[in-house]
């Protein structure tokens, strides 16, 4: 009998709704004890937070604030702490952004999302880092939030490598082929021209081979990928050089040697077909005359005299 009297009576238990034992709507909307305590103690928390911030600044200088994420089931708790800290003087001061060259400033401001005077603890370095790195120009971002109120952001931008022509459109890409800009193409100086599907991602390797031959590089206008398989070199004088698939390095070296010994690229030719390893096929421009024979050398059909 003593044991049964010690049990909690049904009316003393928390009343549950009839749908599977879940708390009723009124119980969910009622503030929890911790939340009510924070509301009542908010004036008392202000000097405590301010004192903790002061001690951290004195002891650690530019100690980074521990991250408090405002999202999740306890967002109200984080927001209450952030507001109390802001009332105590923990607000955003100076925002320093380093490394910005080509990234539009308005995109950076939108990704940061706070300004001077906003609650410092409402600023999430991890979320801002994620938003910054979603911008096409930015490869990596480092975000720091300090107890002094300063926010320091270091961004590392992708470097413009080439202009990619694809289905009539032009865009600036980096070496990995990621599009970083489709506007102001002339703002980045002379860049290699890549043409064709897949040329944006595969063009850097071929460009490095061409760059090893300065005499050839200055003549190349575009690197054209044919059927996503092999490359053509389009020269400024209109010559198309057909490179063999998978053997571009040897063909480019051979072409550079032919230019040195025979000035092949200065002749009135239309195409230079190097796709076969044992032969070189040269097609002249329509109406072009064959080069005159050297003085003193006999050619087929000349008189023997």
């Amino acid at each position: 009998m003593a044991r049964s009297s010690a049990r909690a009576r049904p009316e003393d238990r928390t009343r549950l709704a009839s749908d599977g034992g879940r708390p009723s709507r009124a119980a969910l909307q009622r503030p929890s004890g911790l939340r009510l305590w924070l509301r009542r103690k908010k004036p008392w928390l202000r000097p405590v937070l301010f004192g903790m911030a002061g001690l951290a600044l004195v002891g650690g200088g530019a100690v980074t604030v521990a991250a408090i994420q405002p999202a999740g089931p306890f967002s109200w708790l984080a927001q209450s702490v952030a507001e109390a800290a802001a009332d105590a003087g923990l607000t955003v001061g100076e925002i320093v952004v380093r490394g910005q060259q080509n990234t539009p400033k308005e995109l950076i401001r939108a990704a940061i999302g706070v300004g001077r005077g906003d609650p410092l603890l409402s600023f999430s370095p991890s979320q801002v880092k994620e938003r910054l790195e979603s911008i096409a120009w930015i490869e990596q971002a480092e975000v720091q939030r300090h107890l002094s109120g300063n926010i320091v952001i270091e961004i590392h931008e992708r470097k413009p490598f080439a202009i990619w022509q694809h289905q009539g459109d032009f865009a600036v890409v980096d070496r990995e082929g990621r599009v970083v800009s489709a506007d102001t193409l002339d703002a980045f100086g002379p860049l290699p021209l890549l043409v064709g599907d897949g040329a944006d991602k595969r063009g850097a390797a071929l460009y490095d081979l061409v760059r090893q031959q300065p005499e050839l590089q200055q003549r190349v206008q575009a690197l054209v990928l044919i059927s996503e398989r092999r490359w053509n070199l389009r020269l400024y004088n209109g010559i198309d050089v057909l490179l063999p698939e998978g053997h571009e390095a040897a063909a480019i070296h051979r072409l550079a040697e032919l230019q040195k010994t025979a000035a092949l690229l200065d002749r009135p030719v239309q195409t230079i077909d190097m796709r076969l390893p044992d032969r070189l096929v040269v097609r002249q421009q329509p109406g072009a005359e064959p080069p005159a024979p050297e003085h003193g050398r006999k050619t087929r059909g000349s008189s023997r005299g």
Side-chain angles (χ1 to χ4, degrees):
M1 297 297 293
R3 290 181 181 178
S4 61
S5 62
R7 294 178 182 176
R9 292 176 299 176
E11 56 269 23
D12 294 335
R13 299 174 184 174
T14 303
R15 292 187 177 181
L16 302 179
S18 59
D19 53 343
R22 297 179 182 176
S24 63
R25 185 184 302 270
L28 289 173
Q29 293 177 350
R30 187 180 305 117
S32 64
L34 178 59
R35 192 167 186 177
L36 288 173
W37 183 86
L38 283 173
R39 289 180 179 178
R40 295 171 182 172
K41 301 298 183 181
K42 187 174 181 181
W44 176 79
L45 284 174
R46 295 174 185 173
V48 173
L49 289 171
F50 187 76
M52 292 174 61
L55 289 175
L57 285 174
V58 173
V63 179
T64 304
V65 182
I68 297 181
Q69 301 296 338
F74 296 100
S75 59
W76 58 268
L77 174 60
Q79 186 63 30
S80 298
V81 174
E83 291 175 357
D87 292 340
L90 230 62
T91 58
V92 176
E94 185 178 4
I95 301 176
V96 180
V97 179
R98 300 172 182 154
Q100 182 273 337
Q101 292 184 348
N102 297 312
T103 309
K105 294 181 179 180
E106 58 272 15
L107 294 182
I108 295 178
R109 285 194 294 266
I112 295 174
V114 297
R116 186 183 295 270
D118 290 338
L120 182 64
L121 296 186
S122 295
F123 177 86
S124 171
S126 60
Q127 292 181 4
V128 172
K129 172 182 171 67
E130 183 178 354
R131 290 197 296 266
L132 285 170
E133 292 179 352
S134 67
I135 299 174
W137 271 112
I138 299 179
E139 182 176 10
Q140 185 181 5
E142 301 172 7
V143 183
Q144 294 181 346
R145 176 185 61 179
H146 299 277
L147 278 172
S148 62
N150 293 342
I151 294 173
V152 180
I153 298 174
E154 186 83 25
I155 63 176
H156 303 275
E157 294 184 338
R158 292 182 171 87
K159 296 182 179 179
F161 165 69
I163 296 177
W164 177 40
Q165 179 182 344
H166 174 65
Q167 297 181 355
D169 296 326
F170 294 85
V172 178
V173 297
D174 64 359
R175 287 186 64 89
E176 286 71 36
R178 176 156 182 170
V179 175
V180 294
S181 177
D183 303 318
T184 62
L185 302 181
D186 298 332
F188 311 105
L191 295 175
L193 177 61
L194 309 177
V195 181
D197 295 342
D200 53 329
K201 294 179 174 57
R202 298 172 55 183
L206 181 63
Y207 177 76
D208 290 341
L209 295 175
V210 173
R211 191 172 56 177
Q212 295 175 10
Q213 307 294 338
E215 182 68 19
L216 176 61
Q217 180 189 5
Q218 64 183 0
R219 298 170 181 270
V220 175
Q221 180 183 20
L223 311 179
V224 184
L225 186 60
I226 307 299
S227 301
E228 299 189 50
R229 292 177 48 253
R230 64 166 196 85
W231 292 94
N232 283 359
L233 301 180
R234 167 60 62 91
L235 308 187
Y236 282 104
N237 59 3
I239 298 177
D240 284 322
V241 181
L242 283 60
L243 299 178
E245 181 181 357
H247 302 280
E248 294 86 0
I252 288 174
H253 178 75
R254 182 185 179 191
L255 184 63
E257 290 297 323
L258 288 172
Q259 175 60 21
K260 291 178 182 179
T261 58
L264 178 61
L265 303 180
D266 295 326
R267 299 188 178 187
V269 299
Q270 185 174 12
T271 60
I272 301 174
D273 193 343
M274 307 183 72
R275 290 176 293 177
L276 298 178
D278 58 343
R279 68 184 66 182
L280 180 72
V281 179
V282 178
R283 178 179 298 175
Q284 291 185 335
Q285 295 179 0
E289 297 181 358
E294 298 181 9
H295 181 71
R297 178 178 296 181
K298 295 181 180 180
T299 60
R300 182 178 300 178
S302 62
S303 61
R304 296 184 179 181

